Amino acid sequence: MREPAAGRGRDLLLRGIGLSVAYALAGMAGLVLPRYSGHFALIWIPAGLAVFALFQWGVRFWPAILAGSALVTLRMGTDLGSGVVLALFNTIGPVLTVWLLRSWRFDPGFARGRDLFLFLSASLLGMCVMASGGTLGLWRGDGQLRELFETWLTWWLSDCTGVLLVTPFLLSLRRPERAAMRSRLWEFGVWSVLAVVASCIIFLDTLALGRGTLPLAFLVLPLAAWAGMRFGLLGMTFGVLLICGLAVLGLALRVGPFVQPERSLELLNITLFLLSVMLVGWLVMGLQRARDRSEQLLRENQE
């Protein structure tokens, strides 16, 4: 009995180390994206990674999240006291999110209509803790933080976007979802080509700058609806990631419709766009799954 226990402990340790490294690398990658006031990442990818890992492996892996967050804060050059505050709240936020999801009996396959509502509610509430910790850490660092609510809101939107984009995609990488995609690979390939071409034209065109071309960004919403209707959880989350990733890449390269004279206006526009694409994909997928369940129940009743 000792050898299996020792092997299991070694496996947990290696998994925790890998999670810490992945969290730190994701955080450093997030800092490469456009930042605002030197602190706010446009999308905080580690938040989504942390929620996924703690939900799949259990909240006992919180020390790995704490260690990874500490590495990121050191990379940012934060002082020790503020770094401790940031790391603690960056750990408490995902733990609270996962606790809410498990308490509400959330289904990671989003099989029921209420699972989307549960996931959104838990994510929005849990990320309030992370945003509060980030704001507190900055205030502790300089003591002269202006526009406190705007700072908190910016941090909260960044964390929420990371969870809503990354966590569902990682949850969708399950065998049933992959099997469901095999029957529609050709259609998904056509969709991917159209999405990449349309996104490159809209988001990576050096001539499409400023608010005059901003409405063009929302022309990709029908593509998000198509993905939600036809490709299930895996296809929809991957499609949303693809579109949103190209939009963020355009802003990082300072091209496309989201480039504005004021960084705060850029943040508002790109965040509203990302949330719009995600919600359209989610809602259409939820309606399609509800319809499929109704048809299945009708067939069973007829039999």
Side-chain angles (χ1 to χ4, degrees):
M1 295 296 294
R2 292 182 180 179
E3 291 183 359
R8 185 169 179 270
R10 183 169 57 252
D11 178 69
L12 293 176
L13 178 61
L14 293 176
R15 187 178 298 183
I17 294 175
L19 177 57
S20 297
V21 173
Y23 187 101
L25 292 177
M28 294 174 188
L31 295 177
V32 176
L33 298 175
R35 285 187 286 168
Y36 299 85
S37 303
H39 296 282
F40 312 118
L42 183 60
I43 301 175
W44 191 236
I45 302 173
L49 177 63
V51 172
F52 166 75
L54 295 179
F55 185 84
Q56 288 292 102
W57 300 340
V59 294
R60 60 183 174 180
F61 282 91
W62 67 264
I65 303 298
L66 181 65
S69 181
L71 292 175
V72 176
T73 55
L74 290 176
R75 175 66 177 80
M76 294 172 59
T78 310
D79 65 273
L80 181 59
S82 299
V84 170
V85 173
L86 289 172
L88 285 175
F89 279 83
N90 284 347
T91 305
I92 296 173
V95 169
L96 174 60
T97 302
V98 171
W99 180 79
L100 290 173
L101 290 174
R102 294 195 178 279
S103 299
W104 295 339
R105 298 181 180 179
F106 162 74
D107 181 2
F110 294 89
R112 303 163 299 181
R114 71 187 188 97
D115 290 317
L116 172 58
F117 174 76
L118 295 178
F119 181 75
L120 285 174
S121 301
S123 301
L124 298 181
L125 291 173
M127 295 308 102
C128 287
V129 175
M130 290 185 64
S132 301
T135 306
L136 178 62
L138 291 182
W139 176 81
R140 188 189 180 282
D142 54 29
Q144 299 178 354
L145 187 61
R146 299 178 181 178
E147 301 177 351
L148 187 65
F149 176 73
E150 182 180 350
T151 301
W152 182 90
L153 182 62
T154 304
W155 206 296
W156 180 69
L157 289 174
S158 171
D159 294 335
C160 290
T161 306
V163 173
L164 296 178
L165 273 177
V166 176
T167 303
F169 174 70
L170 295 177
L171 288 174
S172 70
L173 297 176
R174 301 181 305 155
R175 183 174 298 175
E177 297 293 340
R178 296 198 306 268
M181 278 287 295
R182 293 193 185 103
S183 61
R184 294 177 176 172
L185 284 180
W186 283 105
E187 183 182 356
F188 185 70
V190 173
W191 180 94
S192 301
V193 172
L194 292 176
V196 170
V197 171
S199 298
C200 289
I201 293 174
I202 295 173
F203 304 125
L204 302 179
D205 187 0
T206 56
L207 300 179
L209 295 174
R211 82 182 54 170
T213 58
L214 184 59
L216 295 176
F218 293 90
L219 293 177
V220 299
L221 292 183
L223 290 172
W226 181 4
M229 181 179 296
R230 297 290 296 169
F231 306 130
L233 181 62
L234 176 57
M236 187 276 296
T237 54
F238 177 80
V240 168
L241 266 178
L242 179 64
I243 294 173
C244 294
L246 290 173
V248 172
L249 177 61
L251 183 57
L253 297 175
R254 309 303 298 167
V255 296
F258 297 109
V259 177
Q260 303 291 337
E262 298 180 3
R263 282 298 180 97
S264 59
L265 188 58
E266 288 182 355
L267 175 66
L268 177 62
N269 290 337
I270 189 69
T271 302
L272 290 176
F273 169 77
L274 297 177
L275 292 177
S276 299
V277 174
M278 286 186 287
L279 289 177
V280 166
W282 280 111
L283 292 176
V284 173
M285 187 195 71
L287 292 173
Q288 184 63 34
R289 290 199 167 187
R291 177 184 175 182
D292 293 340
R293 286 196 303 272
S294 298
E295 292 178 350
Q296 182 180 359
L297 291 175
L298 181 60
R299 287 194 299 268
E300 292 176 355
N301 290 333
Q302 289 176 347
E303 292 175 359

